[in-house]
């Protein structure tokens, strides 16, 4: 059977919206309501951030949300407990867990994959997991539990390395829009960026592509969709949740502002 | 057992390159080229000439007579504090700036804890006319103010870091984020034997001049190249890596790594990673790491800004786990005592980091005929504000240590 991510891309080839939020933010119990709301509001895929104390690839907004989530008491045990009935509530939308390797390794990679799969996750985004360690140590475990890895590509990633990533997954490739961490504008001019998006698009890869980093509103989402199958938004959603009294309502309004 | 990294940068189970893809091309470029560049005779000529005429090498190996009498053993001090800028850190920055230039980089970034690495980086950037940005935890900018001013005078931009614990770990995070944002023209001069492969090996090689000189100087002074003990403090561990390097395969030499216990190992305010750490990933390598049961990196503590890092270099993790090095923890009090003692007994005011290594003399168990080399990694000028704060205590220690 095809995984949920592949099924989603089979049904819809463009304008896919992948929304990231941090588990346990703004409140510990916000995870499930946010997940349900995002799925109902039109997010085609959902990334749940597993908060980490030192998220190197993330900018200040996601780091701050992670700090708050950790203070709220979020950890992997709590997250898996929160997600245990999620597939009854959100049956179809692919769920990806995004985070850093250290908490996963402390939890135990096998136990983590087992529980992630049991909780209904379809894929894992671990930006500091090296490709070679994935192939040699983790691939078999990921496959045993039906979890797809998602690899990040940057303007500097060599074509043969992109092909190697493409061969190692049946999900999508995460095109980092330009130099920088999440939530920042990129310092790259639009011509260079366009050339990079086109260069990857013309490679004829097996997997669809989603553009992330620096996508935060309808305008940037629409533009990203010209060059890929869709885009990923994180920091902008988190910002809309800051200080919101009704987090799901704020998330719903945010998704609507991007799609409509 | 090998103490050199394999081709993927592993020392036993520790090391590797756990980095986001955004850093991969930079790190890969460095990995592919560092050994070739460093082996180039022109690089070596320039590096050795700068070490000699700019840094002031070789640094002396000083027989500390009064300290030796006090501990009833033969104590030699490797005077890295006499290097230009006041610490061993410059050995590495001189090497890396030459490397950066050969890689065609225009902009240099660095992280710093105590400020010694930041000053050393700002210095070589001034020397080479390169742009320099130094990330430093806001708390560290306050407790190491003279070094902040020194960096600014040298033309570097110091960026105080307000995230996390506002110390070395967070300064390193921000430097890495800068590198992610500037992947083409920027070289990141990491100041210790930490980070993704090849940094631990690169920095260890550049610092290995310390033990290379020790062997020659010991032969001259004692008739043997090999001491019984080599003692060095460890935060990330660059001075220790340099002091141990040419003794790693000499089993008769006991390698002693001294960590900061802060208020005490079990106090919850400590930086003794070999005792409190578990294998984990920080700043791109797998090493021993202070973390909670959920894999969140915990905040280390030491009075010395250069030692409060929650990890150690992967080489040191390997030395600890394999038993090749002995790890000793020294708390703030004992380190302050050692500051007073060395000042009064030998007329040398050591850096607070270095004082941890000196304080370990009391625990070595070295005999009267044993030769002990302590790597005097840096001088104490930068710590004067801290020393002023503890002036009363230091004075009472000083008269105490001199009268004993």
């Amino acid at each position: 059977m095809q995984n949920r991510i592949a099924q989603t891309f089979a049904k819809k080839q463009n304008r896919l919206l992948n929304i990231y939020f941090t588990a346990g933010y703004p409140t510990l119990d916000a995870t499930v309501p946010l997940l349900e709301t995002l799925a109902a509001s039109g997010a085609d895929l959902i990334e749940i951030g597993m908060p980490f104390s030192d998220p190197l690839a993330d900018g200040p907004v996601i780091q701050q949300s992670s700090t708050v989530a950790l203070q709220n008491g979020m950890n992997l045990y709590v997250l898996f407990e929160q997600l245990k009935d999620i597939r009854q509530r959100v049956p179809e939308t692919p769920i990806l867990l995004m985070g850093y390797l250290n908490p996963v390794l402390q939890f135990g990679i096998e136990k983590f994959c087992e529980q992630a799969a049991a909780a209904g996750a379809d894929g894992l985004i671990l930006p500091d997991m090296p490709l070679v360690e994935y192939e040699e140590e983790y691939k078999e475990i990921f496959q045993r539990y039906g979890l797809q890895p998602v690899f990040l590509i940057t303007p500097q990633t060599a074509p043969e390395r992109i092909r190697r990533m493409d061969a190692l997954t049946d999900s999508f490739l995460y095109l980092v829009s330009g130099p920088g961490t999440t939530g920042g504008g990129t310092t790259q001019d639009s011509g260079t960026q366009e050339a990079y998006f086109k260069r990857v698009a013309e490679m004829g890869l097996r997997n669809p592509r989603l553009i992330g980093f620096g996508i935060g509103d309808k305008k940037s989402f629409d533009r990203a969709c010209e060059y890929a199958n869709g885009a990923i938004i994180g920091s902008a959603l988190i910002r809309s949740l800051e200080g919101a009294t009704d987090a799901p309502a704020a998330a719903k309004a945010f998704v609507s502002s991007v799609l409509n | 057992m090998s103490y050199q990294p394999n081709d993927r940068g592993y020392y036993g189970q520790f090391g590797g390159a756990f980095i986001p893809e955004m850093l991969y091309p930079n790190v890969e470029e460095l990995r592919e080229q560092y050994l070739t560049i460093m082996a180039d005779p022109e690089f070596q000529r320039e590096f050795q000439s700068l070490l000699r005429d700019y840094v002031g090498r070789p640094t002396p190996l000083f027989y500390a007579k009064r300290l030796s009498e006090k501990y009833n053993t033969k104590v030699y001090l490797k005077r890295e504090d006499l290097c230009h800028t006041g610490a061993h850190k410059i050995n590495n920055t001189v090497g890396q700036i030459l490397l950066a230039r050969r890689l065609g980089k225009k902009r240099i970034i660095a992280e710093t804890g105590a400020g010694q690495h930041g000053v050393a980086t700002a210095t070589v950037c001034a020397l080479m006319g390169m742009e320099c940005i130094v990330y430093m935890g806001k708390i560290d900018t306050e407790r190491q103010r003279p070094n902040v001013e020194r960096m600014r005078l040298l033309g570097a931009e110091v960026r105080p870091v307000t995230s996390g614990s506002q110390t070395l770990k967070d300064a390193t995070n921000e430097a890495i984020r800068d590198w992610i944002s500037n992947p083409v023209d920027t070289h990141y001069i990491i100041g210790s034997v930490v980070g993704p492969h090849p940094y631990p090996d690169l920095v260890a090689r550049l610092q290995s001049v310390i033990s290379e000189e020790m062997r020659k100087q010991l032969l001259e002074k004692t008739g043997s190249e090999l001491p019984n003990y080599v003692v060095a403090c460890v935060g990330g561990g660059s001075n220790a890596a340099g002091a141990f390097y040419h003794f790693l395969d000499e089993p008769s030499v006991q390698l002693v790594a001294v960590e900061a216990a802060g208020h005490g190992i079990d106090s919850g305010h400590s930086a003794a990673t070999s005792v409190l750490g578990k294998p984990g990933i920080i700043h791109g390598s797998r090493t021993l790491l202070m973390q909670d049961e959920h894999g969140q990196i915990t905040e280390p503590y030491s009075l010395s800004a250069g030692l409060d890092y929650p990890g150690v270099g992967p080489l040191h993790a390997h030395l600890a786990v394999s038993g090749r090095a002995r790890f000793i923890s020294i708390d703030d009090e004992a380190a302050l005592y050692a500051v007073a003692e060395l000042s009064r007994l030998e007329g040398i005011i050591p850096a607070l980091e270095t004082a941890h290594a000196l304080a370990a003399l009391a625990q070595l168990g070295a005999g009267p005929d044993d030769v002990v080399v302590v790597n005097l990694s840096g001088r104490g000028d930068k710590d004067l504000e801290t020393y002023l704060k503890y002036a009363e205590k230091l004075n009472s220690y000083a008269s105490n240590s001199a009268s004993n």
Side-chain angles (χ1 to χ4, degrees), chain A residues 51-58 63 70 75 77 101-103 105-106 127-128 130 132-133 136 152 154 156-157 161 165 176 179-181 187 213, chain B residues 8 10 17-22 24-25 163 169-170 173-174 176-177 180-184 278-281 283 289 291-297:
Chain A
F52 180 49
S53 55
D54 296 77
L56 287 182
D58 287 298
Q63 178 169 23
L70 291 171
N75 61 51
Y77 294 92
L101 203 47
N102 199 51
L105 294 184
Q106 283 308 313
D128 59 346
V132 57
E133 268 76 5
E136 290 180 9
L152 273 60
T154 81
Q156 276 77 40
T157 308
R161 192 167 160 83
M165 293 170 178
V176 176
T181 49
T187 49
F213 285 49
Chain B
R8 274 164 54 193
Y10 280 92
F18 294 84
I19 46 170
E21 182 64 21
M22 294 79 107
Y24 181 83
S163 59
K169 163 178 86 81
D170 310 285
N173 288 343
E174 289 309 322
I176 291 175
R177 288 179 176 141
I180 286 174
S181 306
N182 297 282
V184 179
K278 285 180 293 180
I281 292 162
H283 300 142
L289 170 62
Q291 53 189 315
D292 68 13
E293 75 268 36
H294 300 296
Q296 306 296 339
I297 297 170

Side-chain angles (χ1 to χ4, degrees), chain A:
Chain A
M1 193 190 86
Q2 263 190 327
N3 66 70
R4 279 190 204 90
I5 304 171
Q7 281 170 8
T8 300
F9 282 100
K11 270 187 281 184
K12 185 174 172 183
Q13 280 81 44
N14 49 43
R15 294 189 64 76
L16 280 98
L17 176 63
N18 180 349
I19 292 268
Y20 166 98
F21 73 97
T22 306
Y25 179 87
T27 59
L28 184 63
D29 297 326
T31 317
V32 171
L34 275 174
L35 198 53
E36 284 185 273
T37 305
L38 289 169
S41 313
D44 299 291
L45 304 97
I46 298 172
E47 273 177 44
I48 304 176
M50 304 177 284
F52 180 49
S53 55
D54 296 77
L56 287 182
D58 287 298
V61 172
I62 289 180
Q63 178 169 23
Q64 182 56 24
S65 71
S66 297
T67 304
V68 171
L70 291 171
Q71 282 162 357
N72 288 342
M74 181 47 69
N75 61 51
L76 290 176
Y77 294 92
V78 171
L79 179 60
F80 288 137
E81 180 62 28
Q82 288 181 347
L83 294 181
K84 70 176 186 216
D85 301 322
I86 201 67
R87 283 304 174 195
Q88 287 159 31
R89 295 156 183 266
V90 183
E92 283 174 13
T93 310
I95 295 174
L96 298 116
L97 298 179
M98 186 272 164
Y100 293 80
L101 203 47
N102 199 51
V104 169
L105 294 184
Q106 283 308 313
F107 194 83
I109 183 85
E110 174 108 31
K111 182 173 144 195
F112 173 81
C113 288
E114 184 190 0
Q115 297 207 13
D122 306 288
L124 301 176
I125 308 178
L126 301 166
D128 59 346
M129 175 179 70
L131 211 50
V132 57
E133 268 76 5
Y134 172 71
E135 288 188 86
E136 290 180 9
E137 293 176 37
Y138 308 137
K139 186 177 148 191
E140 201 182 301
I141 303 170
F142 275 44
Q143 287 179 342
R144 196 175 311 147
Y145 296 99
L147 293 165
Q148 294 296 327
V150 173
F151 299 108
L152 273 60
I153 289 169
T154 81
Q156 276 77 40
T157 308
E160 61 273 22
R161 192 167 160 83
I162 296 176
R163 294 206 183 277
R164 190 165 145 213
M165 293 170 178
D166 189 40
L168 283 171
T169 188
D170 289 303
S171 57
F172 62 89
L173 293 165
Y174 192 138
L175 264 64
V176 176
S177 65
T181 49
T182 56
T186 78
T187 49
Q188 194 164 237
D189 67 79
S190 59
T192 312
Q193 196 175 54
E194 194 179 321
Y196 151 61
F197 293 152
K198 279 187 177 158
R199 178 165 58 80
V200 181
E202 284 162 7
M203 285 180 72
L205 301 170
R206 300 166 55 236
N207 287 286
R209 294 155 289 116
L210 297 180
I211 293 172
F213 285 49
I215 313 296
D217 54 17
K218 180 170 170 54
K219 193 176 159 212
S220 50
F221 177 70
D222 287 349
R223 186 168 172 268
C225 292
E226 288 174 33
Y227 300 101
N229 305 77
I232 304 165
I233 296 180
S235 297
L237 170 85
I238 302 285
R239 244 182 251 119
S240 77
L241 300 179
E242 267 170 18
T245 46
D246 185 345
K252 188 177 177 201
F254 177 82
V255 173
S256 164
S257 77
V258 172
L259 292 179
N260 301 309

Side-chain angles (χ1 to χ4, degrees), chain B residues 28-339:
Chain B
E28 184 64 6
E29 178 187 36
L30 193 60
R31 188 189 68 78
E32 280 175 354
Q33 301 206 42
Y34 81 114
L35 290 175
T36 315
I37 292 175
M38 286 169 75
D40 177 16
E42 181 52 28
F43 176 91
Q44 279 302 325
R45 194 198 58 74
E46 210 175 344
F47 181 48
Q48 297 303 334
S49 140
L50 282 171
L51 286 183
R52 187 182 63 237
D53 300 330
Y54 190 69
V55 174
R57 303 207 72 90
T59 57
L61 184 71
F62 173 68
Y63 179 64
K65 187 163 171 287
R66 297 183 70 199
L67 200 62
S68 296
E69 279 166 12
K70 169 128 194 208
Y71 289 100
N72 195 27
T73 186
K74 294 174 181 159
V75 181
Y76 287 84
L77 303 175
K78 180 61 174 163
R79 299 290 308 274
E80 293 301 296
D81 60 317
L82 294 179
C83 288
H84 179 42
T85 70
H88 72 289
K89 293 287 188 185
I90 190 131
N91 302 325
N92 170 48
T93 60
V94 162
Q96 284 205 46
I97 199 90
L98 296 177
L99 189 60
R101 217 170 48 175
R102 279 164 174 76
L103 292 170
K105 306 293 179 179
K106 305 277 183 271
R107 180 175 175 272
I108 298 294
I109 53 170
E111 86 297 335
T112 198
Q116 291 304 83
H117 173 59
V119 168
T121 305
T123 298
V124 296
C125 286
L127 180 70
M128 300 293 171
M130 280 166 93
E131 185 186 356
C132 180
I133 289 147
V134 179
Y135 290 89
M136 188 171 187
K138 190 162 175 293
I139 288 175
D140 291 339
T141 63
E142 286 155 13
R143 58 180 170 174
Q144 303 284 338
R145 211 168 52 199
N147 272 342
V148 174
E149 294 313 320
R150 231 168 254 149
M151 286 184 266
R152 288 183 175 145
L153 193 56
L154 290 160
E157 184 193 335
V158 180
R159 292 190 183 164
V161 172
T162 54
S163 59
S165 57
Q166 309 190 7
T167 61
L168 182 54
K169 163 178 86 81
D170 310 285
T172 308
N173 288 343
E174 289 309 322
I176 291 175
R177 288 179 176 141
D178 182 310
W179 209 19
I180 286 174
S181 306
N182 297 282
V184 179
D185 66 339
T186 300
H187 176 69
Y188 178 16
I189 300 190
I190 294 186
S192 197
V193 286
V194 302
H197 178 61
Y199 277 103
D201 185 47
L202 168 63
V203 178
R205 283 169 186 264
L206 293 171
Q207 291 292 1
S208 72
V209 63
I210 299 172
S211 49
E212 195 183 330
E213 287 175 7
M214 277 182 190
R215 288 186 73 128
K216 284 184 202 149
Q217 292 166 324
L218 282 165
L219 180 64
E220 211 173 278
K221 289 177 196 291
T222 70
S224 166
E225 285 184 46
L226 304 181
N228 300 92
Y229 298 85
V230 179
V231 185
C233 65
V234 171
S238 71
N239 90 86
F244 294 169
Y245 199 87
H246 291 282
F247 300 111
L248 288 168
D249 296 321
E250 304 284 1
S252 72
V253 180
Q254 188 171 137
L255 307 175
V256 181
V258 185
E259 292 181 316
H263 292 327
I265 297 280
D266 301 319
S267 66
H269 300 277
S270 178
T273 306
S274 74
V275 184
L276 299 169
K278 285 180 293 180
I281 292 162
I282 183 168
H283 300 142
S285 59
R286 184 169 196 273
T287 189
L288 290 173
L289 170 62
M290 287 169 55
Q291 53 189 315
D292 68 13
E293 75 268 36
H294 300 296
Q296 306 296 339
I297 297 170
T298 52
E299 310 289 2
Y301 165 82
S302 164
L303 184 60
S304 76
L307 298 183
D308 65 351
Y309 184 67
V312 285
L315 164 65
H316 294 299
H318 181 51
L319 295 178
V321 167
S322 67
R324 175 66 189 93
R326 171 178 163 193
F327 279 68
I328 289 178
S329 313
I330 293 294
D331 65 18
D332 289 352
E333 283 289 329
L336 282 171
Y337 187 90
V339 169

